[in-house]
């Protein structure tokens, strides 16, 4: 799909070769073999037919992808991490819009980077949790992703369909996590040393630690942190104080605003389940919706902010992507001036 696309080069794993061998056995039928490459048959020529006859389904895969990348945890500075994350989310947006694939697991282990001569490029990997956006579960969606970075919608197993906004919310949590526990190896070590000295990791002073707990507790912690006025004292005040982390404070705050307190969304579309009482009161007092908002054509009968956000996801993602690309350009400028 993206062959020859310079804007996507190096930002996703490129499949170079793939082979699969399948044995499908049914009653009254001999074992059958289907192969996409003749050489893959050699591994199974000596298998006892009686053993194969008892095997209902067996599959062997070989996949070769292009691109040798480094883990996000190996990045050397805050600005380089911002560049890598922007590239990954650019790829995420293009893959969703042009291939209809929703990745559904934005986390530190699924974003990597490659180095060039005076360049760094982010890469989005691991589509094990990905889904065809048109064929998602229609009710009771399964929870997919990596715990600390899963969206509230995902953690609560809401019936609202998953959209790219869930993955952008995961990006927000990734930024907060890295900014709290350290972007670079040196900074993570300093955090561990300080934690060991103080012997307090899971305390009320570190609400983010609950994101790595049971899903219901993580969801409650995130809801509380994302409410207006709570984000700073509960999250960004705990970001590391090393130079450059102030840029993560501003970036995380802007992304959080666009997702949870978007000025272009009506009150119906802001907040989360914890805000539902306020939304109901607003419905009684004023049944009209601001005509200038993204959700102006959505009636007040749809009061679940997850559902309203899903309907307006494309417009909100445009704003989020613009924010990340601007942050990337600012980071590149700081790097060139260093």
């Amino acid at each position: 799909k993206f062959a020859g696309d310079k804007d996507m080069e190096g930002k996703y794993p490129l499949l170079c070769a793939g082979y699969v061998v399948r044995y499908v056995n049914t009653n009254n039928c001999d074992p059958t073999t289907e192969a996409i490459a003749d050489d893959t048959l050699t591994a199974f020529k000596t298998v006892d037919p009686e053993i194969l006859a008892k095997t209902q389904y067996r599959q062997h895969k070989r996949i070769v992808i292009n691109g040798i990348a480094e883990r996000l945890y190996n990045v050397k500075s805050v600005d380089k991490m911002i560049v890598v994350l922007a590239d990954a989310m650019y790829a995420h947006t293009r893959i969703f819009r042009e291939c209809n694939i929703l990745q559904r697991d934005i986390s530190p282990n699924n974003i990597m980077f490659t180095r060039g001569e005076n360049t760094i490029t982010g890469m989005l990997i691991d589509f094990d949790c990905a889904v065809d956006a048109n064929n998602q579960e229609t009710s009771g969606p399964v929870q997919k992703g990596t715990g600390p970075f899963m969206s509230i919608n995902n953690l609560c197993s809401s019936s609202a369909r998953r959209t790219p906004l869930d993955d952008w919310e995961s990006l927000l949590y990734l930024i907060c996590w890295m900014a709290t526990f350290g972007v670079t190896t040196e900074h993570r070590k300093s955090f561990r040393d300080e934690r060991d000295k103080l012997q307090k990791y899971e305390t009320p002073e570190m609400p983010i630690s609950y994101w790595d707990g049971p899903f219901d507790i993580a969801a409650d912690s995130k809801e509380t942190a994302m409410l207006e006025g709570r984000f700073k004292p509960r999250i960004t005040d705990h970001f590391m104080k090393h130079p450059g982390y102030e840029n993560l404070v501003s970036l995380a705050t802007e992304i959080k605003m666009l997702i949870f307190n978007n000025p272009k969304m009506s009150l119906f579309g802001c907040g989360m389940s914890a805000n539902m009482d306020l939304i109901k009161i607003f419905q009684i007092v004023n049944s009209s919706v601001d005509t200038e908002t993204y959700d102006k054509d959505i009636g007040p009968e749809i009061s679940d902010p997850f559902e309203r956000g899903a309907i307006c996801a494309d417009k909100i993602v445009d704003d989020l992507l613009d924010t990340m690309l601007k942050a990337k350009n600012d980071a590149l400028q700081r790097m060139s001036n260093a």
Side-chain angles (χ1 to χ4, degrees), residues 235-253:
I235 303 299
T236 58
D237 279 353
H238 299 280
F239 284 10
M240 286 194 160
K241 308 306 179 186
H242 297 289
Y245 280 76
E246 69 278 2
N247 297 313
L248 293 181
V249 172
S250 58
L251 178 59
T253 300

Side-chain angles (χ1 to χ4, degrees), residues 73-119:
Y73 288 114
N74 291 345
V75 77
K76 299 298 184 182
S77 72
V78 168
D79 281 334
K80 289 181 179 178
M81 186 184 79
I82 291 173
V83 172
V84 169
L85 296 181
D87 285 347
M89 295 312 293
Y90 174 80
H92 179 280
T93 302
R94 291 281 306 274
I95 290 169
F96 175 77
R97 291 180 172 176
E98 298 177 44
C99 303
N100 213 42
I101 295 173
L102 185 60
Q103 198 262 2
R104 299 202 301 178
D105 191 12
I106 299 297
S107 59
N109 288 331
N110 292 340
I111 295 177
M112 305 183 77
F113 67 92
T114 57
R115 304 177 194 266
E117 186 176 351
N118 299 320
T119 63

Side-chain angles (χ1 to χ4, degrees), residues 51-320:
I51 295 177
L52 287 179
K54 298 176 182 178
T55 304
Q56 294 302 312
Y57 185 82
R58 169 181 284 178
Q59 180 168 291
H60 170 71
K61 291 183 178 179
R62 300 177 185 175
I63 297 176
V64 179
I65 60 175
N66 185 36
I68 299 175
E70 298 183 55
R71 301 172 67 228
L72 181 63
Y73 288 114
N74 291 345
V75 77
K76 299 298 184 182
S77 72
V78 168
D79 281 334
K80 289 181 179 178
M81 186 184 79
I82 291 173
V83 172
V84 169
L85 296 181
D87 285 347
M89 295 312 293
Y90 174 80
H92 179 280
T93 302
R94 291 281 306 274
I95 290 169
F96 175 77
R97 291 180 172 176
E98 298 177 44
C99 303
N100 213 42
I101 295 173
L102 185 60
Q103 198 262 2
R104 299 202 301 178
D105 191 12
I106 299 297
S107 59
N109 288 331
N110 292 340
I111 295 177
M112 305 183 77
F113 67 92
T114 57
R115 304 177 194 266
E117 186 176 351
N118 299 320
T119 63
I120 187 169
T121 302
M123 176 186 290
L124 179 65
I125 68 165
D126 195 344
F127 288 77
D128 287 352
C129 293
V131 66
D132 183 331
N134 287 334
N135 295 320
Q136 295 191 70
E137 303 88 348
T138 56
S139 62
V142 294
Q143 295 163 308
K144 292 286 187 180
T146 304
F149 314 105
M150 289 166 61
S151 70
I152 297 169
N153 187 27
N154 193 0
L155 289 168
C156 295
S157 197
S158 166
S159 60
R161 66 185 176 90
R162 303 290 184 266
T163 73
L165 281 183
D166 289 279
D167 286 358
W168 279 93
E169 187 178 334
S170 294
L171 175 74
L172 170 62
Y173 301 141
L174 184 159
I175 292 172
C176 294
W177 191 269
M178 299 287 282
T180 301
F181 300 118
V183 169
T184 69
T185 301
E186 179 184 357
H187 294 166
R188 286 191 295 278
K189 183 180 184 302
S190 70
F191 174 85
R192 289 193 299 270
D193 291 345
E194 185 68 17
R195 178 195 64 189
D196 293 342
K197 183 169 62 177
L198 298 176
Q199 295 185 341
K200 58 175 185 179
Y201 172 54
E202 293 188 357
T203 70
E205 287 74 34
M206 290 285 288
I208 196 173
S209 64
Y210 296 111
W211 295 4
D212 199 19
F215 285 178
D216 57 339
I217 294 176
D220 287 342
S221 177
K222 288 177 178 178
E223 280 200 24
T224 302
M226 298 304 137
L227 291 174
E228 190 67 26
R230 300 285 184 88
F231 189 62
K232 182 178 184 296
R234 295 183 68 87
I235 303 299
T236 58
D237 279 353
H238 299 280
F239 284 10
M240 286 194 160
K241 308 306 179 186
H242 297 289
Y245 280 76
E246 69 278 2
N247 297 313
L248 293 181
V249 172
S250 58
L251 178 59
T253 300
E254 187 166 359
I255 292 174
K256 178 261 181 185
M257 181 272 293
L258 290 173
I259 295 174
F260 294 106
N261 309 103
N262 196 315
K264 296 179 182 177
M265 292 289 288
S266 70
L267 180 59
F268 296 111
C270 292
M272 299 153 292
S273 57
N275 282 347
M276 291 309 293
D277 288 341
L278 292 175
I279 292 174
K280 290 177 181 177
I281 292 172
F282 183 80
Q283 286 177 299
I284 295 173
V285 175
N286 185 354
S287 60
S288 65
V289 178
D290 187 345
T291 57
E292 300 302 318
T293 60
Y294 287 158
D295 54 345
K296 62 184 177 62
D297 296 325
I298 307 173
E301 67 277 2
I302 300 179
S303 59
D304 185 341
F306 291 136
E307 294 184 13
R308 296 183 75 91
I311 295 171
C312 302
D314 280 347
K315 295 178 180 179
I316 299 174
V317 167
D318 284 341
D319 294 338
L320 288 164

